[in-house]
Amino acid sequence: MTEIDPKTDALVPSWLTLPDVAERLGVPVTRVRQLVKEGQLIAVRRGENGVLMVPADFLDGDKIVKGLVGTLTLLRDDGFTDEEMLEWLFTPDDSLPGTPTQALRENRGTEVKRRAQALAV
């Protein structure tokens, strides 16, 4: 859980606080903290108050976007930091097209994972 660079922050369209994530997922805030600790979600400190926040695009209704957890695991295994993962997930990729996060939300996780695996080479 790091403080985010303004350049990376600008890539993410919208954010949710941990209580907001908990409400959307229908779980206690302590469970959201556990999901972050387990690497199933990324939370970063934003703003002057350093409030922990999660990209809103990581949620699809009351669930974590399909394929996100596996993609985060691949990127972490490749040595990416949380901020580098956010930058990669929210940077447009002409070969997808769109961002990896958009592709995950459109159920194109296989393509995203293929690109994440290629980063390890």
Side-chain angles (χ1 to χ4, degrees):
M1 293 178 258
T2 55
E3 184 151 343
I4 191 165
D5 179 86
K7 184 183 118 208
T8 305
D9 191 3
L11 292 172
V12 181
S14 61
W15 297 87
L16 296 169
T17 63
L18 298 191
D20 291 339
V21 173
E23 187 177 322
R24 295 258 309 263
L25 295 177
V27 299
V29 174
T30 52
R31 178 65 184 133
V32 175
R33 289 186 184 282
Q34 188 66 32
L35 291 170
V36 170
K37 188 177 176 185
E38 292 169 355
Q40 295 184 45
L41 286 173
I42 296 174
V44 293
R45 297 200 178 277
R46 294 185 67 236
E48 292 177 18
N49 299 334
V51 176
L52 275 176
M53 300 188 95
V54 173
D57 284 348
F58 284 179
L59 300 183
D60 182 11
D62 62 353
K63 296 186 214 50
I64 295 173
V65 169
K66 183 181 174 193
L68 177 67
V69 175
T71 302
L72 293 179
T73 300
L74 279 171
L75 294 171
R76 200 167 276 113
D77 290 350
D78 290 346
F80 278 57
T81 64
D82 285 355
E83 186 156 339
E84 290 167 336
M85 286 189 272
L86 286 173
E87 189 173 332
W88 186 80
L89 285 163
F90 286 95
T91 298
D93 180 340
D94 292 339
S95 68
L96 273 172
T99 67
T101 302
Q102 287 168 327
L104 287 172
R105 294 180 63 80
E106 294 166 4
N107 205 22
R108 296 186 287 139
T110 304
E111 296 173 52
V112 174
K113 286 183 184 147
R114 198 173 295 133
R115 282 163 182 76
Q117 286 170 327
L119 297 172
V121 176

